[in-house]
Amino acid sequence: MSVNIAVNSKRPVNLDLRTIKLPVTAYSSIAHRISGVVLFIAIAGLLWLLDSSLSSESGFEQVGALLQHPLAKLILWGVLSALLYHLVAGIRHLFMDAGVGEGLESGLLGAKIVLIVSAVLIVLLGVWIW
């Protein structure tokens, strides 16, 4: 009988993800996970570029020429942006593991700091790449 009660419960169900209001800390956490997935996928391409550049002098020149293309610069900027965000958010998580910034207000402040610092670093990275 208890199974039927749980299945027939009258709890509200909200499946429209656009209407769910998440706090800044949730967006920061989701972005940290997404950046980790991007980095995991990008490692294969980065290792291939490294291998090609170290194989010979002509391979190094080919990789250098490839990285001068605007699309390659955009992809590299995206991957390095994910790396910077993941690094900054990871440092925040290390502080939280040490017991700093675990409260509600300090958690919100930490998430905002991560977003601001990451945005500044990503813009500076874009200036450096182009």
Side-chain angles (χ1 to χ4, degrees):
M1 279 294 180
S2 65
V3 173
N4 287 338
I5 292 172
V7 171
N8 294 328
S9 131
K10 299 294 182 193
R11 292 180 294 164
V13 177
N14 184 0
L15 297 178
D16 188 6
L17 296 178
R18 295 172 294 151
T19 62
I20 297 174
K21 303 294 183 219
L22 297 174
V24 175
T25 53
Y27 288 118
S28 175
S29 177
I30 291 168
H32 186 243
R33 293 168 193 227
I34 290 171
S35 67
V37 170
V38 168
L39 290 173
F40 180 76
I41 293 169
I43 283 176
L46 294 174
L47 286 175
W48 175 76
L49 285 173
L50 179 65
D51 181 56
S52 298
S53 70
L54 295 176
S55 65
S56 65
E57 188 176 336
S58 66
F60 182 81
E61 292 171 1
Q62 288 174 349
V63 170
L66 173 71
L67 292 178
Q68 294 304 315
H69 192 275
L71 181 61
K73 285 184 177 186
L74 182 65
I75 292 170
L76 183 65
W77 178 71
V79 170
L80 291 177
S81 296
L83 178 65
L84 281 175
Y85 181 81
H86 200 75
L87 175 71
V88 173
I91 291 170
R92 173 179 176 248
H93 282 285
L94 287 175
F95 277 111
M96 289 172 55
D97 288 343
V100 177
E102 290 181 327
L104 181 61
E105 294 84 17
S106 58
L108 286 171
L109 178 64
K112 289 176 184 177
I113 289 172
V114 164
L115 293 173
I116 292 169
V117 169
S118 297
V120 169
L121 291 175
I122 289 169
V123 168
L124 291 174
L125 174 69
V127 170
W128 180 67
I129 287 177
W130 277 286

